[in-house]
Amino acid sequence: MSAVTTRSSASSPENVPPVPDRVGLSVTVRNGLQLTWRSIVKLRTNPEEVLGLMLQPIMFVTLFVFVFGQAMMGDWQTYRDFLMPGIIAQSVIFATMGTGFTLSQDVEKGIFDRFRSLPIARSAPLIGAVLGDLVRYAITVVMVLLVGLAIGFRPDGGAVGVVVAGALILVFAFALCWMSAFVGMLARTPMAVQSFAMILLFPLTFGSSAFVAPDDMPGWLAPIAANNPVTHVVDAMRGLMLGGDVTGPVTWTLVWAFVITAVFFPLAVWAYRRRT
């Protein structure tokens, strides 16, 4: 599909193409994938970021398994098996903060002013940033699994269960990226984005079944944790990786991902247009 309408200005240079107000779905997808490649290339040329994606999972797994494992379940091996799906989910969910942070940095540097002058879909820069970040999250999932395997984690669900669980957390992370992008477009500085994102994501993650079963929490907190969207995704991953019920948790995870995307995707695009 091609552009429906275009906006031009008499004061614009003749060699600058008109900027479309509305474009079709195929054009939006193509523009988004083009900017996704830009995001991936940035990762390839920034080895320090890749190193951070590799070291953070090692730190999280080591601290939680060996520091808290004995106290939580009597031996660290039992807690390791319970914890691994939660650690994967936590690592990826925390990584979604980077979407809003990076977008805010790009706005400050003026990169989005250039995007605004190009004949591309208005949502393409956001789509490119989010899809590019999914590559980072996939690296995080692989690194956490490798660390877990190194300390003896052996998922009963086999390779299929692990792959499906990894895909499920990436779908959920895709939804959270739009919330992060919305915050990134509203907050005035990258540091403010990080502060707001931590306020949102810490209660979601630590108030879930990622580290402690809801039944072991105080009475007032248990029902909140049981209905936390992060609890649904972690329970789904445990079922897929270790065995157990998956139908309910997977269904709820997909519902939450759809609702979060449906709410925050248009909000992120609106905030982006308003900001730029």
Side-chain angles (χ1 to χ4, degrees):
M1 297 177 66
S2 60
V4 178
T5 61
T6 60
R7 181 179 73 250
S8 61
S9 173
S11 61
S12 300
E14 293 183 359
N15 60 342
V16 177
V19 181
D21 283 329
R22 291 178 296 171
V23 298
L25 178 61
S26 62
V27 176
T28 300
V29 171
R30 184 171 70 249
N31 295 159
L33 291 177
Q34 289 169 341
L35 292 177
T36 297
W37 179 245
R38 167 186 175 268
S39 182
I40 295 174
V41 169
K42 285 173 60 180
L43 179 64
R44 188 181 63 184
T45 57
N46 188 3
E48 294 85 359
E49 185 174 352
V50 177
L51 184 63
L53 292 173
M54 296 172 64
L55 294 180
Q56 182 175 319
I58 297 174
M59 178 187 69
F60 277 136
V61 173
T62 303
L63 285 177
F64 280 96
V65 171
F66 294 107
V67 174
F68 300 114
Q70 191 75 23
M72 295 294 291
M73 292 189 171
D75 65 89
W76 65 267
Q77 292 91 345
T78 301
Y79 190 59
R80 172 201 60 205
D81 295 342
F82 174 85
L83 181 70
M84 286 306 300
I87 281 287
I88 294 173
Q90 182 231 27
S91 299
V92 172
I93 289 170
F94 278 8
T96 61
M97 291 188 298
T99 299
F101 185 85
T102 302
L103 287 173
S104 183
Q105 279 188 323
D106 284 346
V107 170
E108 278 198 337
K109 293 176 181 177
I111 294 174
F112 278 74
D113 291 333
R114 175 57 178 162
F115 288 154
R116 186 176 57 181
S117 69
L118 296 175
I120 60 175
R122 287 288 172 254
S123 59
L126 298 182
I127 294 172
V130 170
L131 292 181
D133 282 344
L134 287 180
V135 176
R136 295 171 170 83
Y137 309 151
I139 294 174
T140 298
V141 171
V142 171
M143 285 306 305
V144 175
L145 282 171
L146 289 177
V147 176
L149 292 173
I151 61 174
F153 177 63
R154 298 294 182 267
D156 296 331
V160 174
V162 170
V163 171
V164 175
L168 192 65
I169 185 58
L170 292 181
V171 169
F172 188 72
F174 174 80
L176 288 183
C177 279
W178 293 112
M179 183 170 68
S180 179
F182 176 59
V183 174
M185 291 295 99
L186 286 185
R188 295 188 178 184
T189 65
M191 292 306 297
V193 173
Q194 193 169 21
S195 298
F196 282 120
M198 295 291 280
I199 292 171
L200 290 171
L201 296 180
F202 255 82
L204 274 177
T205 305
F206 287 96
S208 71
S209 64
F211 305 102
V212 181
D215 293 341
D216 295 330
M217 297 180 182
W220 64 270
L221 183 58
I224 298 175
N227 293 284
N228 184 334
V230 177
T231 293
H232 295 307
V233 70
V234 171
D235 288 349
M237 293 174 67
R238 282 202 182 102
L240 290 165
M241 298 175 74
L242 302 175
D245 177 47
V246 297
T247 303
V250 168
T251 301
W252 274 110
T253 299
L254 295 177
V255 168
W256 275 113
F258 175 80
V259 170
I260 293 171
T261 302
V263 171
F264 285 99
F265 172 71
L267 286 176
V269 175
W270 168 81
Y272 162 67
R273 289 176 173 173
R274 178 175 176 269
R275 178 81 178 268
T276 59

